[in-house]
Amino acid sequence: MRIAVFCSGSGTNLEAMVNAQKRGDIKAEIALVVSDVAGCFALKRAEKAGIKALVVERKKFSSGKEFESEILKSLQKEKVDLVVLAGYMRLLSADFIKEYRNKILNIHPALLPSFKGTHGIKDALEYGVKITGPTVHFVTEDMDAGPIILQSAVTVAEDDTEETLAESIHKEEHKIYPRAVQLFIEGRLKIEGSRVRIL
Ligand code: GRF
């Protein structure tokens, strides 16, 4: 199986995947890293790991359709079977999702369906929840709403700030995301409506 990891930022989840693959916990090839942000740190991590990287900037294309078809072309060329979104800060179109139906995973830094959107950590902290944590889910047309694969609970400490809470959540992300990817690789994720049964 061949995986593409999509990133826009730091890429710590990408690195967790690379490490998991080195340990043998992910039995697949990370064939490609795709980024929409030239110069982001995830690209440096890809380079260090010797993974082919592709930068596709939205501003270089006159439409979202052309932008995405450039990405799709590379995925097809690299024979990618699974798309892993890891801090990719763009919504995929319905057409793109159709091409990789039930083959796109995402990680969100809050316990979905609570605190969807780009500020999941801050929103949960400000709301005052006592437990939060990351969610790995299949990507569907609705943002942060696809079938949930794995979640992990993180207790919010009295003195947590957004930064310290983010650190605790990221630690959990780096455990559950590679685990979810390997479950996918093993064909153990069965989608039944909005639920995912782990076989
Ligand atoms: C993570 O917090 C993830 O939940 C969210 O974006 C962040 C990516 O972090 N989707 P990194 O780039 O993997 O370090």
Side-chain angles (χ1 to χ4, degrees):
M1 183 166 297
R2 291 168 66 75
I3 301 173
V5 182
F6 283 31
C7 305
S8 305
S10 161
T12 62
N13 280 285
L14 164 65
E15 189 151 323
M17 299 287 164
V18 170
N19 292 338
Q21 194 213 23
K22 279 190 197 147
R23 286 195 306 270
D25 292 344
I26 287 182
K27 294 180 177 59
E29 179 161 1
I30 304 171
L32 186 66
V33 167
V34 176
S35 179
D36 62 325
V37 178
C40 72
F41 201 70
L43 289 167
K44 300 208 167 61
R45 295 186 205 264
E47 193 186 346
K48 192 164 161 237
I51 302 168
K52 189 169 197 177
L54 174 76
V55 179
V56 189
E57 293 174 288
R58 173 64 184 85
K59 65 179 183 214
K60 303 254 166 86
F61 298 84
S62 54
S63 70
K65 204 175 164 60
E66 283 169 46
F67 164 71
E68 282 191 341
S69 70
E70 179 73 18
I71 298 175
L72 276 170
K73 236 180 7 197
S74 301
L75 297 185
Q76 276 144 16
K77 191 169 146 225
E78 292 296 329
K79 298 192 170 31
V80 167
D81 310 289
L82 170 66
V83 172
V84 170
L85 306 183
Y88 184 67
M89 299 309 287
R90 261 174 206 287
L91 287 178
L92 300 172
S93 72
D95 285 342
F96 188 104
I97 293 167
K98 219 189 309 161
E99 290 291 324
Y100 277 86
R101 171 77 58 207
N102 297 335
K103 291 176 181 170
I104 309 173
L105 310 186
N106 182 43
I107 190 155
H108 180 73
L111 293 175
L112 294 173
S114 292
F115 308 112
K116 294 175 180 171
T118 37
H119 305 291
I121 299 174
K122 182 165 179 269
D123 292 347
L125 183 66
E126 279 177 0
Y127 192 92
V129 297
K130 301 297 185 190
I131 294 176
T132 184
T135 301
V136 181
H137 64 94
F138 283 103
V139 171
T140 56
E141 285 78 359
D142 300 317
M143 185 185 68
D144 298 334
I148 291 170
I149 301 167
L150 291 177
Q151 294 184 300
S152 181
V154 170
T155 301
V156 181
E158 287 303 321
D159 58 353
D160 257 334
T161 61
E162 199 185 328
E163 289 70 36
T164 58
L165 185 56
E167 208 177 298
S168 312
I169 291 170
H170 286 150
K171 260 190 213 151
E172 289 306 306
E173 291 187 351
H174 302 158
K175 291 183 205 158
I176 68 168
Y177 211 0
R179 204 177 297 152
V181 166
Q182 181 56 24
L183 286 169
F184 180 94
I185 292 164
E186 291 172 9
R188 291 173 59 196
L189 301 177
K190 184 156 182 262
I191 300 174
E192 294 176 350
S194 74
R195 294 183 66 181
V196 177
R197 191 180 293 277
I198 299 178
L199 305 172

